[in-house]
Amino acid sequence: MTLTPLAGQVFQAVRGFADHLEWELGDWKESWGILYYKEAEIEPSSSRADSPPVFWHQNRWLEPFCLTFDSIGQAASALRGIQRNWAPVLFTQFRRGALISEKLPPLPSKPRPFPWTVPPQPMGSWTLVNPRTLIGSARCSSPFPGGAIAYIEDKHFPPSRAYLKLWEALTLCGNRPGPASRCLDAGASPGGWTWALLRLGASVLAVDRAPLEARIQALPGLSFIKHDAFTLKPETLGPVDWLFCDAACYPQRLYGWIEQWLESGLCTNYVCTLKMQGSAGAGEGFAVSRRFAAIPGSVVLHLFHNKHELTWIHTAAARCQEGAGGGAAPA
Ligand SMILES: C[S@@+](CC[C@H](N)C(=O)[O-])C[C@H]1O[C@@H](n2cnc3c(N)ncnc32)[C@H](O)[C@@H]1O
């Protein structure tokens, strides 16, 4: 048995958006299913402009290694000897992979409540590239197994499932609004994010050109302004603890508005969706997402619950940075 460190990183593509990752990476040494091994050193997503950041992945394997082994028991005991938590990401050798998994501590499979705190133990990932060769990494950017998280959903009250990406962003932050928080929710209709924020006890100022659903509008703690959010100045809306924006808009327009907020000093924490248009690399969204990531203290991620969009998070919490997700979800 030999374990050889690999001098690069492995990127797990977002299903349906592998072309976006390929465009960002430019080239790579090898690919295995939805996994891309890039040999050169890659800077984290919030890094310098001379090393283009990579956003379109579900998980990034930070310290990959190659393990050659003779038996299933040997592979499992090598992983167990490193740490407890290992998530399989298989694209071949499914039977053999299942046999290795059976010999590893079980991972949680039930949906999580919200709020839920990510435990501190790291979550590793591994795959088999042939019957006797395993690629793995004990440290990954996502604290969730294989970069995926499911929540216990409320399938009745919220008017959309968009709140799941808000929950995921706040889980990754390790920070969230509370009863004393004043939140601005821009592009709030029909009201899923607003509902989630009100449930945390926060007061919410929701802004949208379209009305909120009536049952959301009737909730206590809410004010609503029917308006183009981006023509409202920070000084007009007043200080807020959190600014949320899920507006369907060009990221460039959002960027100009966020610049005003950052300059005003009237908000501390931000969670905003960056909506993309078109194919990989096309449109302004890809360039503007790099400008968002370059704002100090920021991270741009593709959340498990994001579709053709990224999420910009800028918060006082130290935990919320890609690669700091050393936390994990043990049973
Ligand atoms: C994806 S929906 C938001 C869903 C919402 N987060 C939820 O959980 O229900 C996008 C919203 O952005 C709003 N929107 C788009 N441009 C806007 C603007 N300039 N100002 C305010 N709202 C805008 C649309 O009216 C739409 O309601």
Side-chain angles (χ1 to χ4, degrees), residues 120-142:
Q121 295 86 351
M123 175 63 68
S125 291
W126 61 277
T127 193
L128 292 176
V129 295
N130 65 47
R132 292 180 194 282
T133 307
L134 180 152
I135 305 291
S137 177
R139 298 285 175 274
C140 294
S141 64
S142 173

Side-chain angles (χ1 to χ4, degrees), residues 85 115 226 230 250 285:
N85 292 321
K226 193 167 183 293
F230 306 129
Y250 289 109

Side-chain angles (χ1 to χ4, degrees), residues 217-231:
Q217 183 66 65
L219 292 173
L222 169 69
S223 322
F224 177 68
I225 303 176
K226 193 167 183 293
H227 210 279
D228 179 342
F230 306 129
T231 58

Side-chain angles (χ1 to χ4, degrees), residues 55 82 85 90 118 183 208 215 225 247 252 258 263 307:
F55 305 126
I82 298 171
N85 292 321
L90 297 170
V118 177
C183 300
D208 202 299
R215 64 178 184 278
I225 303 176
Q252 182 61 45
I258 291 298
E263 277 163 25
K307 294 174 182 154

Side-chain angles (χ1 to χ4, degrees), residues 100-118:
I100 294 173
S101 285
E102 281 169 17
K103 292 185 179 296
L104 294 171
L107 293 175
S109 56
K110 287 190 181 150
R112 298 293 185 184
F114 182 83
W116 170 70
T117 303
V118 177

Side-chain angles (χ1 to χ4, degrees), residues 160 162 187-193 208-209 227-230 246-248 253 275:
S160 74
S189 294
W193 285 30
D208 202 299
R209 291 188 296 217
H227 210 279
D228 179 342
F230 306 129
D246 190 30
R253 186 138 197 247
K275 313 267 181 181

